[in-house]
Amino acid sequence: HVCRDPFVTAELWIADTEQLPLDTQLEWMLGLLPEPDQAKAMRFRKREDRLRCVTGRLMIRALAAVRLGQADIPPLISAYGKPFFAEENAVQFSLSHAGKLVVLAFGDHPLGVDVEENRPLAWRELASVFGSEEQRLLEADEDPAGLFYRFWTAREAFSKEEGRGLPIFESRDIVIDYDRETIRYEGRTLHVRTWEFPGYTLSVCASRLGEVRMRCLSSEDWNRVLSCNEGSRSPKSEEELEKRFNGTMEYSEEMMTADRALDRDRKSVV
């Protein structure tokens, strides 16, 4: 289901891979993907990383089926790793995943989304890329780790909306104003919304941000996602695919450049 209410400027599909549950469906889901997507998924060693990758790809393909008329429209990737549909006036989208959640944000204007699992981390070292005002607020806050994730996801969502990746994310010229729900950078003012769920923080950023409609996918919703993809069914076992695409790459959110930096820094400082 996609809402076309003009006051809704962004929609979020949230898949909880544990609650649905999707782990038991992974082999079937892999078979729904075309070979290039299967190859990408099989490069992940860890099953949970493979599951997030496959879930995200199926959600993007379902969005293409609903908004562009067919699932088999592969998104292109910009020089900075931002995925997009090349069709004129095509729906804009952004994908993020962390822990058990996979989030797809979409709308008629460029936007970015980021979700992070709120794990313990050395936030002071990671916050070194933040501006002085952000660092001052962190030091003064009763829950600096929670505020850190609000800043981090807002910056990630902004860098994805911009489509220029890590150089933008690490800029100290970004000014986040949560009272006005805005982000300012190089003369641009964008809007940001942040939500906190048990164990997770989620932010969306866009130049226009009216009502944001959030949909946590039910089992019925997920069956609709699968039905959008069933025309591509290629029945192969996960073991067969592992032999064919014998990958060695550990999980990294390739399509989202800034997420790689967070994972790398966490491993080095936590």
Side-chain angles (χ1 to χ4, degrees):
H1 175 71
V2 175
C3 173
R4 299 315 298 269
D5 185 330
F7 294 102
V8 177
T9 56
E11 294 189 63
L12 301 179
W13 288 350
I14 303 175
D16 185 328
T17 60
E18 186 177 286
Q19 185 176 345
L20 281 170
L22 300 185
D23 183 70
T24 57
Q25 304 179 42
L26 179 55
E27 190 167 317
W28 168 263
M29 288 158 54
L30 271 165
L32 295 176
L33 292 175
E35 189 169 294
D37 290 337
Q38 290 178 344
K40 176 178 177 173
M42 299 310 296
R43 290 200 300 268
F44 298 115
R45 289 178 180 174
K46 297 179 182 178
R47 184 177 177 85
E48 60 267 29
D49 300 331
R50 188 176 295 173
L51 178 61
R52 283 189 290 256
C53 177
V54 171
T55 301
R57 291 302 307 154
L58 289 173
M59 291 167 70
I60 292 172
R61 287 170 54 80
L63 178 64
V66 172
R67 292 291 293 267
L68 303 179
Q70 63 181 74
D72 290 321
I73 299 179
L76 302 180
I77 306 296
S78 74
Y80 291 99
K82 181 179 176 69
F84 65 96
F85 293 120
E87 284 68 21
E88 187 176 359
N89 298 320
V91 60
Q92 305 282 318
F93 70 93
S94 180
L95 180 74
S96 184
H97 40 76
K100 63 181 182 177
L101 299 185
V102 180
V103 181
L104 180 67
F106 58 92
D108 292 328
H109 304 277
L111 76 174
V113 68
D114 185 60
V115 62
E116 295 293 342
E117 187 175 10
N118 298 349
R119 300 176 289 179
L121 79 173
W123 61 266
R124 281 189 177 86
E125 295 184 48
L126 292 172
S128 61
V129 300
F130 292 176
S132 58
E133 179 63 11
E134 289 168 295
Q135 294 191 37
R136 185 190 68 78
L137 291 171
L138 283 168
E139 293 291 348
D141 200 85
E142 294 180 356
D143 179 20
L147 183 59
F148 167 85
Y149 276 110
R150 291 175 65 86
F151 283 142
W152 188 281
T153 56
R155 279 174 167 263
E156 288 242 33
F158 171 66
S159 70
K160 291 176 182 180
E161 191 279 343
E162 278 273 321
R164 287 190 277 166
L166 196 58
I168 299 298
F169 172 82
E170 293 184 339
S171 173
R172 295 195 176 192
D173 295 328
I174 293 174
V175 178
I176 301 174
D177 186 335
Y178 274 117
D179 291 333
R180 295 181 174 84
E181 296 186 326
T182 60
I183 292 182
R184 299 193 304 277
Y185 179 72
E186 291 185 345
R188 292 189 72 198
T189 299
L190 292 93
H191 302 275
V192 63
R193 301 274 176 79
T194 300
W195 298 267
E196 292 175 300
F197 307 101
Y200 292 87
T201 303
L202 167 67
S203 288
V204 174
C205 180
S207 58
R208 291 181 56 194
L209 209 52
E211 181 183 345
V212 177
R213 186 155 298 177
M214 193 178 298
R215 188 179 189 90
C216 296
L217 301 185
S218 64
S219 296
E220 184 179 352
D221 293 327
W222 186 250
N223 286 335
R224 293 193 188 101
V225 169
L226 295 180
S227 68
C228 288
N229 285 274
E230 283 181 346
S232 304
R233 177 72 182 156
S234 173
K236 294 184 179 67
S237 71
E238 193 173 353
E239 182 179 355
E240 288 177 306
L241 291 171
E242 278 187 341
K243 289 178 180 178
R244 183 169 186 180
F245 307 117
N246 184 23
T248 59
M249 189 177 71
E250 291 287 355
Y251 168 65
S252 64
E253 196 170 6
E254 287 180 296
M255 295 165 65
M256 311 304 176
T257 307
D259 285 352
R260 295 201 301 266
L262 179 56
D263 284 341
R264 183 187 65 242
D265 291 343
R266 279 171 171 160
K267 291 173 185 174
S268 66
V269 301
V270 175

